[in-house]
Amino acid sequence: MILYVDSQFASPYAMSVFVALTEKQLPFEIEPLDLAAGANRSTAFSRTSLTQRVPTLVDGDFALSESSAITEYLDEAYPRPPIYPAEPRARGRARQVQAWLRSDLMPLRMERPTEVIFYRPVPEPLSLAAQTASQKLFAGAQELLRHGHPNLFDEWSIADVDLAVMLNRLILNGDDVPADLVRYAGGQWQRPSVQRWVRMERPPLPK
């Protein structure tokens, strides 16, 4: 397998797929692409990736992009160990969490990009729109975690990584986050598969 990722190793979506592959102990190679230079729009990559985006996974003669599609594919094609809940309602909820974090909260994602996690914080305070998005994130996460367990569901799932990344956009930037969510994200961050991505050697940010 080949996993195409951004050359900065800062994409939360590439991270999600990397963690999924690592958890499943599947052998794979990483192919970084310089997105700033437009490598994802090259003729060769556009033949591989239908959406010309990272992450893209190549599994034999099959190529797939969009991170949640990839992780769902991996869980069906290589079911052990699972990275989604087995129970249908919990599995549906995990997919809902992933879809929500990818499609909503745009002001927060724009003002706290994942570079604040992997490179350096930003000094600007959150705008009113980003504060509103943050409160929505906190309310949703606290409702999902009100059972008091360390994971969203009975067992860890790939949705835990995605939620922890979203929370860490704020936590690791020094923004105010409820203590219970700080504990949750911190616990998720120590997972070995997550730490393998966090400890990647990264080039300097483009100027």
PDB file of all heavy atoms in Angstrom, residues 111-112 122-128 130-131 173 175:
ATOM      1  N   GLU A 111      -9.181  29.545  11.689  1.00  0.00           N
ATOM      2  CA  GLU A 111      -8.386  30.358  12.616  1.00  0.00           C
ATOM      3  C   GLU A 111      -7.436  29.539  13.483  1.00  0.00           C
ATOM      4  O   GLU A 111      -6.488  30.091  14.058  1.00  0.00           O
ATOM      5  CB  GLU A 111      -9.330  31.185  13.495  1.00  0.00           C
ATOM      6  CG  GLU A 111     -10.125  32.203  12.687  1.00  0.00           C
ATOM      7  CD  GLU A 111     -11.057  33.052  13.538  1.00  0.00           C
ATOM      8  OE1 GLU A 111     -10.721  33.298  14.730  1.00  0.00           O
ATOM      9  OE2 GLU A 111     -12.121  33.472  13.041  1.00  0.00           O
ATOM     10  N   ARG A 112      -7.692  28.243  13.567  1.00  0.00           N
ATOM     11  CA  ARG A 112      -6.792  27.350  14.301  1.00  0.00           C
ATOM     12  C   ARG A 112      -6.451  26.156  13.411  1.00  0.00           C
ATOM     13  O   ARG A 112      -6.886  25.033  13.631  1.00  0.00           O
ATOM     14  CB  ARG A 112      -7.431  26.876  15.614  1.00  0.00           C
ATOM     15  CG  ARG A 112      -7.681  27.985  16.626  1.00  0.00           C
ATOM     16  CD  ARG A 112      -6.403  28.616  17.112  1.00  0.00           C
ATOM     17  NE  ARG A 112      -6.628  29.638  18.132  1.00  0.00           N
ATOM     18  CZ  ARG A 112      -6.703  30.946  17.885  1.00  0.00           C
ATOM     19  NH1 ARG A 112      -6.590  31.404  16.650  1.00  0.00           N
ATOM     20  NH2 ARG A 112      -6.888  31.808  18.867  1.00  0.00           N
ATOM     21  N   VAL A 122      -0.827  30.348  17.020  1.00  0.00           N
ATOM     22  CA  VAL A 122      -1.080  31.670  16.424  1.00  0.00           C
ATOM     23  C   VAL A 122      -1.514  32.606  17.544  1.00  0.00           C
ATOM     24  O   VAL A 122      -2.246  32.216  18.454  1.00  0.00           O
ATOM     25  CB  VAL A 122      -2.146  31.602  15.317  1.00  0.00           C
ATOM     26  CG1 VAL A 122      -1.654  30.771  14.159  1.00  0.00           C
ATOM     27  CG2 VAL A 122      -3.461  31.055  15.843  1.00  0.00           C
ATOM     28  N   PRO A 123      -1.061  33.867  17.522  1.00  0.00           N
ATOM     29  CA  PRO A 123      -1.349  34.760  18.645  1.00  0.00           C
ATOM     30  C   PRO A 123      -2.724  35.420  18.585  1.00  0.00           C
ATOM     31  O   PRO A 123      -3.213  35.908  19.603  1.00  0.00           O
ATOM     32  CB  PRO A 123      -0.243  35.825  18.517  1.00  0.00           C
ATOM     33  CG  PRO A 123       0.084  35.861  17.051  1.00  0.00           C
ATOM     34  CD  PRO A 123      -0.095  34.438  16.562  1.00  0.00           C
ATOM     35  N   GLU A 124      -3.345  35.468  17.415  1.00  0.00           N
ATOM     36  CA  GLU A 124      -4.604  36.192  17.283  1.00  0.00           C
ATOM     37  C   GLU A 124      -5.715  35.507  18.077  1.00  0.00           C
ATOM     38  O   GLU A 124      -5.856  34.288  18.029  1.00  0.00           O
ATOM     39  CB  GLU A 124      -5.026  36.300  15.809  1.00  0.00           C
ATOM     40  CG  GLU A 124      -4.124  37.164  14.956  1.00  0.00           C
ATOM     41  CD  GLU A 124      -2.851  36.451  14.539  1.00  0.00           C
ATOM     42  OE1 GLU A 124      -2.791  35.219  14.704  1.00  0.00           O
ATOM     43  OE2 GLU A 124      -1.911  37.122  14.071  1.00  0.00           O
ATOM     44  N   PRO A 125      -6.520  36.288  18.790  1.00  0.00           N
ATOM     45  CA  PRO A 125      -7.660  35.696  19.502  1.00  0.00           C
ATOM     46  C   PRO A 125      -8.718  35.212  18.518  1.00  0.00           C
ATOM     47  O   PRO A 125      -8.762  35.640  17.358  1.00  0.00           O
ATOM     48  CB  PRO A 125      -8.195  36.859  20.350  1.00  0.00           C
ATOM     49  CG  PRO A 125      -7.752  38.086  19.621  1.00  0.00           C
ATOM     50  CD  PRO A 125      -6.439  37.743  18.975  1.00  0.00           C
ATOM     51  N   LEU A 126      -9.551  34.325  18.981  1.00  0.00           N
ATOM     52  CA  LEU A 126     -10.625  33.804  18.146  1.00  0.00           C
ATOM     53  C   LEU A 126     -11.641  34.895  17.837  1.00  0.00           C
ATOM     54  O   LEU A 126     -11.997  35.691  18.717  1.00  0.00           O
ATOM     55  CB  LEU A 126     -11.330  32.643  18.851  1.00  0.00           C
ATOM     56  CG  LEU A 126     -10.535  31.348  19.035  1.00  0.00           C
ATOM     57  CD1 LEU A 126     -11.293  30.411  19.966  1.00  0.00           C
ATOM     58  CD2 LEU A 126     -10.254  30.664  17.704  1.00  0.00           C
ATOM     59  N   SER A 127     -12.123  34.903  16.620  1.00  0.00           N
ATOM     60  CA  SER A 127     -13.213  35.799  16.253  1.00  0.00           C
ATOM     61  C   SER A 127     -14.498  35.327  16.924  1.00  0.00           C
ATOM     62  O   SER A 127     -14.575  34.207  17.471  1.00  0.00           O
ATOM     63  CB  SER A 127     -13.395  35.812  14.738  1.00  0.00           C
ATOM     64  OG  SER A 127     -13.884  34.553  14.299  1.00  0.00           O
ATOM     65  N   LEU A 128     -15.510  36.147  16.857  1.00  0.00           N
ATOM     66  CA  LEU A 128     -16.799  35.756  17.417  1.00  0.00           C
ATOM     67  C   LEU A 128     -17.325  34.504  16.735  1.00  0.00           C
ATOM     68  O   LEU A 128     -17.864  33.601  17.398  1.00  0.00           O
ATOM     69  CB  LEU A 128     -17.805  36.906  17.265  1.00  0.00           C
ATOM     70  CG  LEU A 128     -19.220  36.636  17.816  1.00  0.00           C
ATOM     71  CD1 LEU A 128     -19.165  36.294  19.303  1.00  0.00           C
ATOM     72  CD2 LEU A 128     -20.117  37.850  17.573  1.00  0.00           C
ATOM     73  N   ALA A 130     -15.575  32.089  15.350  1.00  0.00           N
ATOM     74  CA  ALA A 130     -14.794  30.937  15.798  1.00  0.00           C
ATOM     75  C   ALA A 130     -15.118  30.575  17.245  1.00  0.00           C
ATOM     76  O   ALA A 130     -15.116  29.396  17.620  1.00  0.00           O
ATOM     77  CB  ALA A 130     -13.305  31.212  15.639  1.00  0.00           C
ATOM     78  N   GLN A 131     -15.396  31.582  18.077  1.00  0.00           N
ATOM     79  CA  GLN A 131     -15.825  31.295  19.446  1.00  0.00           C
ATOM     80  C   GLN A 131     -17.155  30.533  19.452  1.00  0.00           C
ATOM     81  O   GLN A 131     -17.333  29.591  20.224  1.00  0.00           O
ATOM     82  CB  GLN A 131     -15.971  32.589  20.228  1.00  0.00           C
ATOM     83  CG  GLN A 131     -14.660  33.305  20.522  1.00  0.00           C
ATOM     84  CD  GLN A 131     -14.894  34.623  21.238  1.00  0.00           C
ATOM     85  OE1 GLN A 131     -15.695  34.714  22.168  1.00  0.00           O
ATOM     86  NE2 GLN A 131     -14.201  35.673  20.800  1.00  0.00           N
ATOM     87  N   ASN A 173      -3.016  25.445  21.209  1.00  0.00           N
ATOM     88  CA  ASN A 173      -2.799  26.867  20.920  1.00  0.00           C
ATOM     89  C   ASN A 173      -2.921  27.720  22.182  1.00  0.00           C
ATOM     90  O   ASN A 173      -2.682  28.920  22.144  1.00  0.00           O
ATOM     91  CB  ASN A 173      -3.800  27.354  19.876  1.00  0.00           C
ATOM     92  CG  ASN A 173      -3.361  28.652  19.239  1.00  0.00           C
ATOM     93  OD1 ASN A 173      -2.366  28.688  18.517  1.00  0.00           O
ATOM     94  ND2 ASN A 173      -4.083  29.728  19.509  1.00  0.00           N
ATOM     95  N   ASP A 175      -5.801  28.107  23.927  1.00  0.00           N
ATOM     96  CA  ASP A 175      -7.145  28.647  24.095  1.00  0.00           C
ATOM     97  C   ASP A 175      -7.862  27.919  25.241  1.00  0.00           C
ATOM     98  O   ASP A 175      -7.499  26.800  25.617  1.00  0.00           O
ATOM     99  CB  ASP A 175      -7.943  28.480  22.799  1.00  0.00           C
ATOM    100  CG  ASP A 175      -7.332  29.267  21.647  1.00  0.00           C
ATOM    101  OD1 ASP A 175      -7.260  30.491  21.756  1.00  0.00           O
ATOM    102  OD2 ASP A 175      -6.917  28.639  20.654  1.00  0.00           O
TER     103      ASP A 175
END
